[in-house]
Amino acid sequence: LDAGLGKLRWRYETGGWVTASPVISNNILYAGSYDGFFYALATKDGNLIWRYRTDGRIAVGARVAGDLAFVGSSDNYLYAIDIKRGELAWRYHAGGDILATPAVAAGTVYVGSVDRKFYALNAATGQLNWTFQGGYAFESSPVVADGVVYVGANDGRLYALRAQDGHPVWDYKAKGPIRSAPVVWGQLVFVGSDDGYLYGLDRQTGALVWSYRTGGAIVAGPTVADGKLYVGSTDRRLHAFSLGER
């Protein structure tokens, strides 16, 4: 769509639902579909550059780092796809569906699975670095900041894990599953929960700084732009908060 006018410029039809946000890198758009394919399209005109087929539905977004795109599928695999050739670099088999967008930092890719495990893999080879056992499924997309990985789980906890080895730093218990992706801002980490609350936590200690209750579940991750925090809810409202200084 034209960002200023909202007019359609092009569209591309896949063979299934597209439920996750695409990612754009070097004028190429990458997105997965319920048809099991991972697509690379030219942002200018939507022309197909290549597509790669997995053995399950792709319901989550991808992460691009260097020459690789990382994306999970309902076939229990995390895929690393060479974006120049549209070919498999490696794949790693988890114990369940991967329903979260991975994070990549310092040569490591981080992702959780519905098998209740959170994985850290070598981004170049797919070799397992470490795993963390959670209390329930991981459907939250992680974020990495200053050597700490923050990720929510369906046991209602936001976990802070040491990125190097997965050692728990702290965890905070909400009143419902955390499928929302956390976001770090200054010394705070923000995350939503199915309990309807948006939480602001001290990212060093996990202590609650403030919370705000919406009228529905918060499934999508909040975002920060121009000194404001935005988050959507199933109450059909977009909520905005002024953050002030970091």
Side-chain angles (χ1 to χ4, degrees):
L1 300 176
D2 185 291
L5 302 175
K7 291 184 178 181
L8 180 67
R9 287 191 174 181
W10 58 261
R11 66 179 179 182
Y12 181 90
E13 185 173 358
T14 73
W17 293 347
V18 178
T19 58
S21 300
V23 61
I24 295 174
S25 177
N26 295 325
N27 298 317
I28 300 176
L29 179 148
Y30 301 95
S33 168
Y34 267 48
D35 64 8
F37 282 98
F38 184 66
Y39 294 86
L41 307 174
T43 56
K44 180 180 179 180
D45 51 22
N47 283 339
L48 177 67
I49 299 172
W50 53 256
R51 65 178 186 171
Y52 179 86
R53 184 168 190 170
T54 72
D55 294 325
R57 299 184 307 274
I58 300 178
V60 296
R63 191 77 63 191
V64 174
D67 292 333
L68 297 177
F70 303 93
V71 67
S73 174
S74 65
D75 61 7
N76 300 358
Y77 279 96
L78 176 71
Y79 290 83
I81 301 169
D82 186 312
I83 60 176
K84 291 184 176 179
R85 299 178 297 171
E87 298 176 356
L88 181 68
W90 56 259
R91 66 178 186 171
Y92 182 87
H93 188 263
D97 293 1
I98 294 177
L99 301 177
T101 301
V104 183
T108 303
V109 56
Y110 303 91
V111 73
S113 169
V114 300
D115 66 0
R116 306 186 182 192
K117 290 182 179 180
F118 187 77
Y119 297 85
L121 308 169
N122 183 293
T125 66
Q127 181 179 352
L128 179 66
N129 290 342
W130 54 260
T131 62
F132 172 79
Q133 182 70 53
Y136 211 71
F138 286 96
E139 295 185 58
S140 166
S141 300
V143 64
V144 184
D146 299 327
V148 177
V149 185
Y150 303 92
V151 64
N154 286 2
D155 61 2
R157 297 185 185 277
L158 180 70
Y159 293 95
L161 309 173
R162 200 159 58 195
Q164 181 179 7
D165 54 16
H167 180 80
V169 179
W170 54 258
D171 67 76
Y172 180 85
K173 183 72 167 65
K175 299 175 183 178
I178 296 179
R179 294 180 288 165
S180 167
V183 62
V184 169
W185 180 83
Q187 294 304 307
L188 298 177
V189 55
F190 301 109
V191 72
S193 168
D194 282 17
D195 64 14
Y197 280 90
L198 175 67
Y199 295 92
L201 307 173
D202 185 302
R203 69 184 182 98
Q204 302 298 327
T205 66
L208 178 66
V209 177
W210 60 262
S211 64
Y212 175 85
R213 186 176 185 179
T214 69
I218 299 176
V219 179
T223 188
V224 175
D226 299 325
K228 291 183 173 58
L229 174 68
Y230 301 92
V231 68
S233 168
T234 58
D235 63 7
R236 298 184 293 180
R237 290 182 170 88
L238 177 66
H239 303 262
F241 308 84
S242 179
L243 292 175
E245 300 294 328
R246 287 179 180 266

